[in-house]
Amino acid sequence: SNGSGTLTLNNAALKATPAFHRQKGDSQQTLAYATLVKLTFNVSVLDSNSKYDSTNSRFIPTVAGFYHVYGSWGINTSAEVFQMRCDIFKNGSSYQSGRSYSSELSTASVAATVYLDADDYVEIFARHDRTGSASAAAQHDNGTTFFGAYRIGT
């Protein structure tokens, strides 16, 4: 504090950056039955250090440390859904999975503390097991489909 009640963090290790938050806002994304599909996110809400790779829909921190990574997706149908999955993938492999069981409109979410080296990357994948083996789509409005991360320590 400088005596005025304002606290300034000068130590980079104390700041929760890099950080980003993205949403799906362009169009619904079709998800084939019983298949993990990488979600895309075209609306940037926050990208403190320009570390979100929008071409490949992934976060590459370039700063090693522990990160809180989270994601969610909403299904756009009221048809019966047996199971929904939302997975954090680290370097191309599933790291953490969140599941939702529902028979109506629903969301599946996931969150994890993940150690990332400077060149690691994380992505969000979705899967559904809808009755009748039909395809479904991830919602693109109302902020129900999103992906984000922020550094929480070294």
Side-chain angles (χ1 to χ4, degrees):
S1 174
N2 63 6
S4 67
T6 302
L7 178 63
T8 304
L9 298 176
N10 291 320
N11 186 335
L14 297 176
K15 297 180 182 178
T17 58
F20 83 99
H21 182 86
R22 303 280 293 199
Q23 294 180 342
K24 175 167 276 308
D26 50 356
S27 61
Q28 294 181 354
Q29 184 175 346
T30 301
L31 305 173
Y33 171 76
T35 304
L36 277 166
V37 176
K38 181 165 58 168
L39 294 179
T40 59
F41 304 90
N42 69 312
V43 176
S44 179
V45 176
L46 167 71
D47 194 353
S48 67
N49 299 72
S50 300
K51 301 304 179 189
Y52 184 81
D53 175 355
S54 58
T55 301
N56 296 301
S57 299
R58 61 177 57 159
F59 173 63
I60 307 168
T62 70
V63 177
F66 286 96
Y67 287 79
H68 178 74
V69 181
Y70 58 90
S72 180
W73 73 279
I75 200 162
N76 75 333
T77 180
S78 59
E80 185 178 339
V81 174
F82 174 71
Q83 176 181 273
M84 296 170 62
R85 251 176 82 176
C86 187
D87 284 28
I88 295 169
F89 269 55
K90 177 182 175 184
N91 299 330
S93 298
S94 182
Y95 182 86
Q96 182 76 38
S97 182
R99 297 171 194 262
S100 173
Y101 301 88
S102 176
S103 61
E104 294 293 327
L105 295 170
S106 188
T107 59
S109 301
V110 64
T113 299
V114 183
Y115 184 82
L116 299 172
D117 285 331
D119 59 350
D120 287 339
Y121 63 91
V122 288
E123 306 160 301
I124 295 293
F125 280 70
R127 174 187 164 134
H128 76 90
D129 294 321
R130 182 176 166 192
T131 301
S133 303
S135 64
Q139 289 183 339
H140 66 288
D141 53 1
N142 302 321
T144 57
T145 303
F146 56 84
F147 175 29
Y150 53 90
R151 190 163 65 97
I152 56 175
T154 55

